[in-house]
Amino acid sequence: MTTVPDKTFYLETFGCQMNAHDSEKVIGTLEREGYRRVESEEEASLILYNTCSVRDKAEQKVFHRLNDYKFMRKKGKRFAVLGCVAQQEGENIFSRAPYVSLVSGSASYRKLPEMLARLEAGEERITGLDDRQSEETFDTDATNRQNPYRGYITIIEGCDKFCTYCVVPFTRGKERSRSSSSVLDEARRIADQGYTEIQLLGQNVNSYLDPEEKKNFAELLAAVGQLQGIRRVRFMTSHPKDFTRDIVEAIDAYPTLCDQVHLPVQSGSARVLKAMAREYTPEWYLERIAWIKAARRKISISTDIIVGFPGETAEDFVQTMELLGQVEYDCVFSFKYSPRPNTPALALIDTLSEAETDKRLQVLLDRQREIQRINYSKHIGELMEVMVEGHNPVRAQISTRSSQNKTVNVTWSQPIAPAPGTYLQVRITAAHPNSLIGVVESSI
Ligand code: SAH
Ligand code: SF4
Ligand code: F3S
């Protein structure tokens, strides 16, 4: 029988903020079981990877990492694979990486104590996948929040949209909303811990519907925005199909709701959107953008775009570029299409060469950089409230963030910087395409 020499763990997280927040729950659960977190694989007796499967590269990363460290199995160390790759691959993980001992969907941290006990007793292969149906996955009081200035709250799990390219409905299961009373309880607890910024999380936050009181997403936003002590509320991600005007009205009504909306468009071509099963047209999308642009505060808009979806023609791509020019986003996350297991897009004929996809991606990046250069430079001279996130003594700067989610690097020559979470008023003195430069006028 192999025994675990000491109870230390190393955890690395891949993927989105939902995964980062799941890891906070896993860390809390492990610590409750007497484990201590360490900073490297070398120091740990248990090595956990919380994985992402959204694109092939993300999935490969974890198998590379496992391969790099597999020699440590001989030293008695154990490996656990959690999260979306685990959920997708299940027991296949054991054949792809035979030195792994535990495979578990990230939400099965509830089952972790029992699985850890089996691991400690010497069991070699333990699987604990999620049924991904119940509300149970949302909350645990064992959460150990790692972000010093932002408290994450999951309000909705899973996804029922089944866009033809996407694995998420398969890895995170069916869509289910959490009750607003439990969301508000958690938000109050976070505020009591001293957090002033909250980020509401979900694959589609605006599909939210309270199973008990029938509060919709805008009503929940308004309620969170009015909580004592909360100064900033963000939310990720919104789906255009379910984006309603009352969300913009809520942002208008409550200044604590950040002036930022992330609204993934994926493509500017009606034909491609249809093939992706996104359930909206470019016109529908642009109507929502017009609502956002008509708000009283200037709301910063960001998006996700997939380049090289199967069958994307040069004309389709031109339409995406036109949409980019119309919306003038502050930030675009662009991805090359990646074929994923189980997804219907696998059946589509993909004739686009890698070189052509690369070329389109570069055209998009260049154009977007130019748009952002102009957008960001408009802030020069503005007085802005920012929140401190970090300190870089070498560059004599503190990194901060605006309500619009823009990075503002603030000149700071003193050795001691304000703590993360501190608010400052800064004057913007210069702009780059991805960040602003400012000087402190006063702390708030
Ligand atoms: N629920 C969100 C997105 C979640 S995944 C939404 O619907 O907007 C984050 C982003 O990854 C997506 O917006 C998409 O742009 C990208 N993505 C998802 N699957 C992909 C794939 N197979 N290939 C390339 N990019 C993909
Ligand atoms: Fe994936 Fe589409 Fe669901 Fe977003 S809405 S998670 S892209 S299936
Ligand atoms: Fe990746 Fe799973 Fe998030 S696939 S993007 S970690 S939901």
Side-chain angles (χ1 to χ4, degrees), residues 30 92 97 109 146 190 246 269 279 286 302-303 306 344 376 380 389 415 428:
L30 283 162
N92 282 341
Y109 54 82
Q146 302 292 298
I190 291 181
D246 54 3
S269 151
E279 297 182 17
L286 289 169
S302 54
T303 202
I306 296 178
Y376 276 58
I380 294 174
E389 292 189 349
I428 303 304

Side-chain angles (χ1 to χ4, degrees), residues 165-363:
Y165 51 81
C166 185
V167 287
V168 172
F170 305 100
T171 63
R172 292 204 166 246
K174 86 177 179 57
E175 184 180 287
R176 56 235 187 257
S177 295
R178 176 176 174 183
S179 73
S180 58
S181 55
S182 116
V183 172
L184 290 167
D185 281 348
E186 189 173 353
R188 276 188 215 100
R189 281 206 303 275
I190 291 181
D192 289 345
Q193 286 173 21
Y195 284 97
T196 59
E197 178 169 316
I198 280 178
Q199 181 155 357
L200 304 178
L201 294 177
Q203 284 304 339
N204 293 304
V205 278
N206 52 337
S207 310
Y208 177 85
L209 184 64
D210 183 344
E212 287 160 12
E213 293 166 44
K214 303 292 166 220
K215 257 196 184 90
N216 71 14
F217 178 60
E219 289 163 335
L220 179 71
L221 260 187
V224 177
Q226 290 175 81
L227 288 176
Q228 190 76 32
I230 296 305
R231 290 176 68 163
R232 284 186 172 183
V233 182
R234 302 187 189 277
F235 52 94
M236 275 273 270
T237 294
S238 301
H239 192 291
K241 180 76 203 312
D242 301 322
F243 193 90
T244 47
R245 206 170 195 155
D246 54 3
I247 299 171
V248 182
E249 286 161 3
I251 296 176
D252 264 343
Y254 302 101
T256 48
L257 305 183
C258 288
D259 34 6
Q260 173 215 350
V261 172
H262 183 65
L263 199 61
V265 66
Q266 313 300 357
S267 169
S269 151
R271 210 183 57 77
V272 172
L273 287 173
K274 189 146 189 270
M276 290 176 163
R278 287 291 288 180
E279 297 182 17
Y280 55 84
T281 59
E283 291 71 33
W284 166 285
Y285 181 86
L286 289 169
E287 191 184 1
R288 268 108 205 114
I289 295 294
W291 297 344
I292 298 169
K293 286 192 172 174
R296 279 197 286 278
R297 273 185 289 165
K298 183 162 169 41
I299 296 177
S300 177
I301 309 170
S302 54
T303 202
D304 295 346
I305 288 178
I306 296 178
V307 176
F309 186 75
E312 182 190 83
T313 62
E315 173 54 25
D316 292 323
F317 180 66
V318 166
Q319 289 173 6
T320 298
M321 294 304 293
E322 280 169 8
L323 184 128
L324 221 63
Q326 275 171 285
V327 182
E328 298 178 319
Y329 294 106
D330 275 338
C331 177
V332 172
F333 299 93
S334 45
F335 310 102
K336 280 200 279 183
Y337 167 70
S338 168
R340 304 307 295 131
N342 304 320
T343 58
L346 284 178
L348 302 175
I349 297 161
D350 189 2
T351 51
L352 207 64
S353 70
E354 182 89 13
E356 179 57 26
T357 308
D358 286 340
K359 210 167 94 194
R360 289 183 192 173
L361 186 64
Q362 198 53 51
V363 169

Side-chain angles (χ1 to χ4, degrees), residues 19 37 114 127 168 207 286 306 378 392 397 440:
N19 248 23
R37 191 175 187 198
E114 182 250 316
T127 329
V168 172
S207 310
L286 289 169
I306 296 178
K378 288 181 184 156
N392 185 341
Q397 275 182 341
V440 178

Side-chain angles (χ1 to χ4, degrees), residues 142-155:
T143 306
N144 181 345
R145 298 189 178 277
Q146 302 292 298
N147 190 311
Y149 49 83
R150 180 183 295 160
Y152 291 113
I153 306 183
T154 309
I155 65 163

